[in-house]
Amino acid sequence: MTADPAYNFAYLDEQTKRMIRRAILKAIAIPGYQVPFASREMPMPYGWGTGGMQVTAAVLGANDVLKVIDQGADDTTNAVSIRKFFAKTAGVATTTRTREATIIQTRHRIPEEQLTEEQILVYQVPIPEPLRFLEPREPETRRMHALEDYGLMHVKLYEDIARHGHIATTYAYPVKVDGRYVMDPSPTPKFDNPKMDNCQALQLFGAGREKRIYALPPYTRVVSLDFEDHPFEPTPITAKCELCGADRAFLDEIVTDDRGGRMFVCSDTDYCESHRGRVSP
Amino acid sequence: MKALHAKGQPLVSDDRPLLRAMGLSKHFGARVACQDVSLDVHEGEVVAVVGESGSGKSTLLALLSTQLLPSNGSIDYRMRDGVTRDLFRLSEAQRRYLLRTDWGFVHQDPRLGLRMGVSAGGNVGERLMAVGWRHYGNIRAEAQAWLERVEIANDRIDDRPDTFSGGMRQRLQIAKNMVTHPRLVFMDEPTGGLDVSVQARLLDLIRGFVSDQGLAAVIVTHDLAVARLLSDRILVMRQGRIIESGLADQVLDDPREPYTQLLVSSILQT
């Protein structure tokens, strides 16, 4: 598909893209640090992935192949719209195959298939500040990051255990990056946290409304916070996908009728489709 | 004075001051909040700062605890390693660490010192986690022990302080500060707004900590009865300056300055 000539390549003007790239370079240089950037208006509401789209627009080249997922699925409204948006404004090839993509923009999942050094994973981030709900003052949280003053993060986990008997945070589970910054991995399920650690792909995080970009360079150490006597555990997968039979993939529960019928299927649609037939359900 | 510990050990191991403020001033624009204040605090000593509201007491406390930077002057503090350092030459990270380990700060309004949305146990445990405790069981046991010491019932450990009474909140705030065994505690009207019987128990508690743990304290209060009960020495402030200082009984029973005389004579006699 060729780009609509009415748009600059990938929608944003060149100066804006340079500004975003500078923020990205700084973010890569300081893994886990939230870099402020001059977030632009995008032709969709805040909260729909404007941060991720700006990052994607800034790193996208004419030869890139773009994949967009929303909760793991390629065929949801948000994913389809963003894919079409870049096909129209940049004329880039798009795909739903994880393996074929060079840039994957994601909302709240990491693909099941292992990513490679050739790929960039772009996260849409609603709230980049992991300390926000315990300390609402932004100047104070920034100071806490600067001074590596992270006792408060464990207070949250302590509260979880005191109330529920175990760490009940199941998504946006805080991580420590390269032994320094505490980072919100965006609302991905904690099932995906181990995939962030030592990942081969470059991981970029964009928060449009909050005007922050942060990054994990390839092969960065990412540790989920925990207590010695309550260690981090990824969500256990106790069922099989009823479509492809995968037993180690993150599953969605789908309601199939109004009589209580439901089934569990892979949340990663590409992974599910490529596995069907290979394993018997 | 109380020079001996219960076990016969000298309570004060060093006769150099723990904290020494020299020539502290703080201006807010043309307004002077604190002018040329110098004072020493020794280990295990309780110093009360009294004066009417607006006299610069709270500003002085904020300066001493490095939460405000002075316009002029310096503060030396003898840290746990025995070395005396200029507080304003320390990095912000070091000052924070000090404020969280070796010091305590008890606010008049417990809402400023506590996290109202976090359980009592989490509040007390926060300082421990900040200094690197990572074992849930140990943190909880320590928090439990401190709650007991401030007479908060065992089964309230998972309740949030917004379900506590005023007196309980204040005791919780004290437990939160004491958990890292600080050597110096700053208190800003710790008994303000509490009814008399609750005040009395709180004062008892603070007195206990001072005598058992050899705690030094700087207490800001407008209540001369509190000052008499808790402190070894009293400083009287007026218009940002210390106008009189001396042993507590001396200042209260034989005030020299006319202003102090006025303060002392203003106490309601029963």
Side-chain angles (χ1 to χ4, degrees):
Chain A
M1 186 176 170
T2 49
D4 187 326
Y7 293 102
N8 189 42
F9 181 78
Y11 185 75
L12 292 173
D13 63 273
E14 294 305 312
Q15 286 304 323
T16 297
K17 285 193 281 186
R18 288 177 69 177
M19 173 273 294
I20 296 172
R21 285 178 202 136
R22 279 196 292 268
I24 292 173
L25 286 175
K26 184 169 179 180
I28 293 170
I30 319 170
Y33 171 70
Q34 300 167 43
V35 183
F37 80 110
S39 178
R40 297 289 194 252
E41 287 288 336
M42 295 300 280
M44 62 182 195
Y46 282 141
W48 286 58
T50 54
M53 278 176 77
Q54 292 179 74
V55 170
T56 300
V59 297
L60 198 63
N63 298 324
D64 272 313
V65 180
L66 180 68
K67 170 183 163 84
V68 182
I69 51 175
D70 177 355
Q71 306 272 11
D74 291 280
D75 52 5
T76 49
T77 314
N78 200 216
V80 172
S81 312
I82 294 175
R83 211 160 50 227
K84 279 190 176 163
F85 176 84
F86 283 112
K88 183 173 181 182
T89 60
V92 293
T94 59
T95 182
T96 58
R97 311 296 295 270
T98 301
R99 198 169 306 165
E100 290 166 9
T102 56
I103 297 175
I104 302 171
Q105 182 173 331
T106 174
R107 175 175 171 268
H108 312 349
R109 270 315 306 281
I110 298 174
E112 305 288 357
E113 199 165 314
Q114 193 178 357
L115 302 177
T116 67
E117 288 179 2
E118 314 301 319
Q119 296 177 310
I120 300 177
L121 186 59
V122 178
Y123 295 78
Q124 301 169 199
V125 180
I127 294 167
E129 180 50 73
L131 302 162
R132 170 79 47 92
F133 293 103
L134 293 150
E135 177 52 71
R137 292 169 295 179
E138 184 78 11
E140 179 64 14
T141 54
R142 289 176 71 82
R143 190 170 292 133
M144 290 162 82
H145 282 295
L147 302 176
E148 217 180 332
D149 186 1
Y150 288 134
L152 198 54
M153 205 67 249
H154 272 87
V155 172
K156 181 177 184 312
L157 302 180
Y158 172 96
E159 288 293 288
D160 262 8
I161 303 173
R163 210 168 294 159
H164 306 287
H166 58 97
I167 298 177
T169 304
T170 53
Y171 64 95
Y173 191 104
V175 293
K176 192 155 205 182
V177 176
D178 199 26
R180 177 58 180 84
Y181 283 96
V182 165
M183 187 190 93
D184 186 326
S186 88
T188 51
K190 69 173 180 176
F191 174 84
D192 284 339
N193 272 22
K195 294 185 198 156
M196 290 189 167
D197 181 32
N198 212 27
C199 177
Q200 294 182 20
L202 170 64
Q203 300 173 78
L204 302 175
F205 299 76
R209 184 192 59 210
E210 304 273 334
K211 302 176 171 55
R212 295 287 184 274
I213 286 172
Y214 49 103
L216 297 171
Y219 303 105
T220 302
R221 193 157 45 95
V222 177
V223 180
S224 303
L225 299 180
D226 58 6
F227 286 103
E228 286 157 16
D229 48 346
H230 286 268
F232 169 80
E233 278 168 20
T235 315
I237 302 298
T238 51
K240 272 186 180 183
C241 170
E242 289 177 39
L243 294 178
C244 75
D247 56 359
R248 253 171 273 164
F250 194 75
L251 302 176
D252 282 341
E253 184 181 29
I254 311 281
V255 175
T256 52
D257 52 38
D258 57 2
R259 290 185 300 279
R262 53 196 59 205
M263 66 192 289
F264 288 97
V265 297
C266 288
S267 110
D268 184 336
T269 51
D270 171 60
Y271 179 82
C272 193
E273 277 162 24
S274 59
H275 270 70
R276 260 171 244 169
R278 267 201 254 164
V279 214
S280 55
Chain B
M1 276 178 55
K2 44 182 178 1
L4 288 184
H5 195 250
K7 288 171 194 152
Q9 294 289 318
L11 190 64
V12 176
S13 55
D14 199 326
D15 55 3
R16 290 175 298 160
L18 188 61
L19 179 138
R20 164 168 280 177
M22 286 160 292
L24 282 184
S25 298
K26 180 70 186 177
H27 309 269
F28 295 105
R31 197 153 289 130
V32 178
C34 237
Q35 185 64 41
D36 197 23
V37 172
S38 299
L39 66 97
D40 285 356
V41 181
H42 288 264
E43 251 173 273
E45 183 186 41
V46 179
V47 177
V49 182
V50 303
E52 63 194 0
S53 95
S55 60
K57 303 183 306 258
S58 297
T59 303
L60 176 61
L61 206 60
L63 287 172
L64 291 176
S65 58
T66 72
Q67 296 180 43
L68 268 183
L69 295 181
S71 311
N72 260 314
S74 65
I75 302 173
D76 285 343
Y77 180 71
R78 185 154 48 78
M79 293 171 70
R80 284 200 194 199
D81 58 6
V83 181
T84 300
R85 293 188 180 84
D86 181 346
L87 286 181
F88 296 111
R89 294 231 172 138
L90 296 179
S91 69
E92 192 179 352
Q94 287 170 309
R95 286 205 297 266
R96 271 199 171 209
Y97 189 76
L98 206 59
L99 195 53
R100 191 178 314 111
T101 52
D102 216 17
W103 292 357
F105 197 106
V106 177
H107 295 267
Q108 173 177 9
D109 181 352
R111 273 176 295 188
L112 296 174
L114 295 173
R115 296 192 187 277
M116 299 308 279
V118 168
S119 71
N123 264 297
V124 178
E126 180 179 347
R127 276 181 161 226
L128 298 174
M129 292 182 247
V131 297
W133 286 43
R134 290 292 179 267
H135 190 284
Y136 174 81
N138 294 350
I139 294 167
R140 197 171 169 80
E142 189 72 8
Q144 188 81 266
W146 276 99
L147 290 181
E148 240 162 69
R149 250 168 264 180
V150 297
E151 300 166 21
I152 292 177
N154 265 339
D155 58 350
R156 299 303 300 267
I157 186 168
D158 292 331
D159 292 346
R160 290 159 37 148
D162 47 16
T163 66
F164 285 10
S165 70
M168 278 173 83
R169 287 180 193 180
Q170 204 53 292
R171 292 200 303 268
L172 177 62
Q173 200 191 175
I174 287 170
K176 178 177 182 152
N177 277 288
M178 294 301 298
V179 69
T180 50
H181 301 279
R183 293 191 301 161
L184 176 60
V185 175
F186 301 99
M187 300 191 192
D188 191 359
E189 306 273 8
T191 58
L194 299 176
D195 67 61
V196 199
S197 63
V198 174
Q199 265 195 34
R201 280 173 62 201
L202 196 69
L203 290 173
D204 248 12
L205 196 69
I206 295 173
R207 253 150 68 112
F209 284 135
V210 168
S211 61
D212 297 346
Q213 319 252 344
L215 189 69
V218 180
I219 297 179
V220 159
T221 179
H222 64 268
D223 187 336
L224 294 181
V226 169
R228 186 194 284 273
L229 200 61
L230 286 179
S231 65
D232 303 311
R233 273 195 307 133
I234 288 183
L235 310 175
V236 184
M237 280 192 84
R238 192 187 186 201
Q239 291 169 356
R241 291 175 183 274
I242 293 182
I243 56 162
E244 181 163 2
S245 67
L247 296 178
D249 295 343
Q250 176 196 332
V251 171
L252 293 174
D253 296 340
D254 186 16
R256 194 160 44 85
E257 292 289 321
Y259 175 72
T260 316
Q261 291 166 1
L262 180 73
L263 264 187
V264 172
S265 65
S266 309
I267 301 176
L268 292 177
Q269 305 293 333
T270 48

mmCIF file of all heavy atoms in Angstrom, chain B residues 154-170:
data_model
loop_
_atom_site.group_PDB
_atom_site.id
_atom_site.type_symbol
_atom_site.label_atom_id
_atom_site.label_comp_id
_atom_site.label_asym_id
_atom_site.label_seq_id
_atom_site.Cartn_x
_atom_site.Cartn_y
_atom_site.Cartn_z
ATOM 1 N N ASN B 154 -3.418 -5.790 69.146
ATOM 2 C CA ASN B 154 -2.929 -6.693 68.111
ATOM 3 C C ASN B 154 -3.797 -6.762 66.872
ATOM 4 O O ASN B 154 -3.310 -6.798 65.745
ATOM 5 C CB ASN B 154 -2.856 -8.110 68.682
ATOM 6 C CG ASN B 154 -1.464 -8.401 69.179
ATOM 7 O OD1 ASN B 154 -0.515 -7.725 68.753
ATOM 8 N ND2 ASN B 154 -1.339 -9.361 70.073
ATOM 9 N N ASP B 155 -5.112 -6.802 67.105
ATOM 10 C CA ASP B 155 -6.013 -7.054 65.973
ATOM 11 C C ASP B 155 -6.269 -5.784 65.157
ATOM 12 O O ASP B 155 -7.057 -5.803 64.226
ATOM 13 C CB ASP B 155 -7.331 -7.657 66.466
ATOM 14 C CG ASP B 155 -8.026 -6.748 67.459
ATOM 15 O OD1 ASP B 155 -7.406 -5.765 67.894
ATOM 16 O OD2 ASP B 155 -9.199 -7.031 67.792
ATOM 17 N N ARG B 156 -5.583 -4.698 65.501
ATOM 18 C CA ARG B 156 -5.764 -3.491 64.689
ATOM 19 C C ARG B 156 -4.645 -3.323 63.663
ATOM 20 O O ARG B 156 -4.596 -2.329 62.957
ATOM 21 C CB ARG B 156 -5.809 -2.235 65.587
ATOM 22 C CG ARG B 156 -6.941 -2.223 66.600
ATOM 23 C CD ARG B 156 -8.324 -2.361 66.016
ATOM 24 N NE ARG B 156 -8.708 -1.315 65.068
ATOM 25 C CZ ARG B 156 -9.355 -0.207 65.407
ATOM 26 N NH1 ARG B 156 -9.671 0.014 66.656
ATOM 27 N NH2 ARG B 156 -9.699 0.687 64.490
ATOM 28 N N ILE B 157 -3.732 -4.277 63.589
ATOM 29 C CA ILE B 157 -2.537 -4.099 62.756
ATOM 30 C C ILE B 157 -2.884 -3.921 61.272
ATOM 31 O O ILE B 157 -2.181 -3.231 60.542
ATOM 32 C CB ILE B 157 -1.536 -5.273 62.954
ATOM 33 C CG1 ILE B 157 -0.231 -4.995 62.182
ATOM 34 C CG2 ILE B 157 -2.120 -6.612 62.526
ATOM 35 C CD1 ILE B 157 0.908 -5.906 62.517
ATOM 36 N N ASP B 158 -3.976 -4.545 60.836
ATOM 37 C CA ASP B 158 -4.330 -4.420 59.415
ATOM 38 C C ASP B 158 -5.387 -3.351 59.157
ATOM 39 O O ASP B 158 -5.877 -3.225 58.037
ATOM 40 C CB ASP B 158 -4.812 -5.771 58.874
ATOM 41 C CG ASP B 158 -3.682 -6.778 58.828
ATOM 42 O OD1 ASP B 158 -2.519 -6.343 58.672
ATOM 43 O OD2 ASP B 158 -3.948 -7.981 58.967
ATOM 44 N N ASP B 159 -5.729 -2.587 60.202
ATOM 45 C CA ASP B 159 -6.707 -1.514 60.004
ATOM 46 C C ASP B 159 -6.000 -0.239 59.585
ATOM 47 O O ASP B 159 -4.863 0.009 59.967
ATOM 48 C CB ASP B 159 -7.490 -1.269 61.294
ATOM 49 C CG ASP B 159 -8.395 -2.435 61.622
ATOM 50 O OD1 ASP B 159 -8.591 -3.284 60.718
ATOM 51 O OD2 ASP B 159 -8.878 -2.518 62.763
ATOM 52 N N ARG B 160 -6.709 0.550 58.814
ATOM 53 C CA ARG B 160 -6.119 1.808 58.355
ATOM 54 C C ARG B 160 -6.276 2.876 59.429
ATOM 55 O O ARG B 160 -7.266 2.889 60.156
ATOM 56 C CB ARG B 160 -6.800 2.247 57.058
ATOM 57 C CG ARG B 160 -6.432 1.355 55.897
ATOM 58 C CD ARG B 160 -7.423 1.426 54.772
ATOM 59 N NE ARG B 160 -7.962 2.767 54.564
ATOM 60 C CZ ARG B 160 -8.330 3.239 53.383
ATOM 61 N NH1 ARG B 160 -8.206 2.498 52.306
ATOM 62 N NH2 ARG B 160 -8.839 4.439 53.270
ATOM 63 N N PRO B 161 -5.298 3.797 59.502
ATOM 64 C CA PRO B 161 -5.361 4.821 60.557
ATOM 65 C C PRO B 161 -6.580 5.728 60.454
ATOM 66 O O PRO B 161 -6.922 6.391 61.432
ATOM 67 C CB PRO B 161 -4.059 5.619 60.376
ATOM 68 C CG PRO B 161 -3.386 5.093 59.183
ATOM 69 C CD PRO B 161 -4.041 3.829 58.762
ATOM 70 N N ASP B 162 -7.252 5.754 59.297
ATOM 71 C CA ASP B 162 -8.444 6.610 59.280
ATOM 72 C C ASP B 162 -9.601 5.989 60.058
ATOM 73 O O ASP B 162 -10.644 6.623 60.232
ATOM 74 C CB ASP B 162 -8.854 7.023 57.853
ATOM 75 C CG ASP B 162 -8.872 5.866 56.882
ATOM 76 O OD1 ASP B 162 -8.860 4.716 57.358
ATOM 77 O OD2 ASP B 162 -8.893 6.106 55.662
ATOM 78 N N THR B 163 -9.412 4.747 60.545
ATOM 79 C CA THR B 163 -10.414 4.170 61.430
ATOM 80 C C THR B 163 -9.999 4.322 62.895
ATOM 81 O O THR B 163 -10.671 3.810 63.785
ATOM 82 C CB THR B 163 -10.619 2.670 61.139
ATOM 83 O OG1 THR B 163 -9.416 1.976 61.479
ATOM 84 C CG2 THR B 163 -10.919 2.415 59.671
ATOM 85 N N PHE B 164 -8.868 5.004 63.136
ATOM 86 C CA PHE B 164 -8.347 5.147 64.500
ATOM 87 C C PHE B 164 -8.811 6.463 65.114
ATOM 88 O O PHE B 164 -9.073 7.428 64.407
ATOM 89 C CB PHE B 164 -6.811 5.155 64.489
ATOM 90 C CG PHE B 164 -6.180 3.800 64.267
ATOM 91 C CD1 PHE B 164 -6.933 2.705 63.899
ATOM 92 C CD2 PHE B 164 -4.814 3.642 64.418
ATOM 93 C CE1 PHE B 164 -6.346 1.472 63.684
ATOM 94 C CE2 PHE B 164 -4.222 2.411 64.207
ATOM 95 C CZ PHE B 164 -4.979 1.327 63.840
ATOM 96 N N SER B 165 -8.838 6.489 66.446
ATOM 97 C CA SER B 165 -9.108 7.749 67.149
ATOM 98 C C SER B 165 -7.869 8.637 67.087
ATOM 99 O O SER B 165 -6.782 8.181 66.732
ATOM 100 C CB SER B 165 -9.447 7.450 68.599
ATOM 101 O OG SER B 165 -8.284 7.010 69.268
ATOM 102 N N GLY B 166 -8.051 9.914 67.461
ATOM 103 C CA GLY B 166 -6.943 10.861 67.416
ATOM 104 C C GLY B 166 -5.740 10.414 68.233
ATOM 105 O O GLY B 166 -4.603 10.473 67.775
ATOM 106 N N GLY B 167 -6.020 9.925 69.451
ATOM 107 C CA GLY B 167 -4.923 9.490 70.312
ATOM 108 C C GLY B 167 -4.196 8.290 69.750
ATOM 109 O O GLY B 167 -2.966 8.196 69.791
ATOM 110 N N MET B 168 -4.970 7.346 69.184
ATOM 111 C CA MET B 168 -4.337 6.162 68.579
ATOM 112 C C MET B 168 -3.475 6.554 67.392
ATOM 113 O O MET B 168 -2.380 6.023 67.187
ATOM 114 C CB MET B 168 -5.413 5.186 68.100
ATOM 115 C CG MET B 168 -5.971 4.296 69.181
ATOM 116 S SD MET B 168 -7.352 3.350 68.529
ATOM 117 C CE MET B 168 -6.523 1.997 67.735
ATOM 118 N N ARG B 169 -3.981 7.478 66.586
ATOM 119 C CA ARG B 169 -3.204 7.925 65.427
ATOM 120 C C ARG B 169 -1.867 8.492 65.878
ATOM 121 O O ARG B 169 -0.829 8.219 65.286
ATOM 122 C CB ARG B 169 -3.958 9.017 64.668
ATOM 123 C CG ARG B 169 -5.129 8.497 63.898
ATOM 124 C CD ARG B 169 -5.819 9.631 63.169
ATOM 125 N NE ARG B 169 -7.108 9.174 62.674
ATOM 126 C CZ ARG B 169 -7.949 9.942 61.992
ATOM 127 N NH1 ARG B 169 -7.628 11.196 61.726
ATOM 128 N NH2 ARG B 169 -9.094 9.460 61.563
ATOM 129 N N GLN B 170 -1.929 9.302 66.947
ATOM 130 C CA GLN B 170 -0.704 9.924 67.412
ATOM 131 C C GLN B 170 0.259 8.852 67.941
ATOM 132 O O GLN B 170 1.456 8.926 67.698
ATOM 133 C CB GLN B 170 -1.052 10.960 68.483
ATOM 134 C CG GLN B 170 -0.046 12.061 68.663
ATOM 135 C CD GLN B 170 0.308 12.788 67.392
ATOM 136 O OE1 GLN B 170 0.934 12.238 66.494
ATOM 137 N NE2 GLN B 170 -0.084 14.046 67.286
#
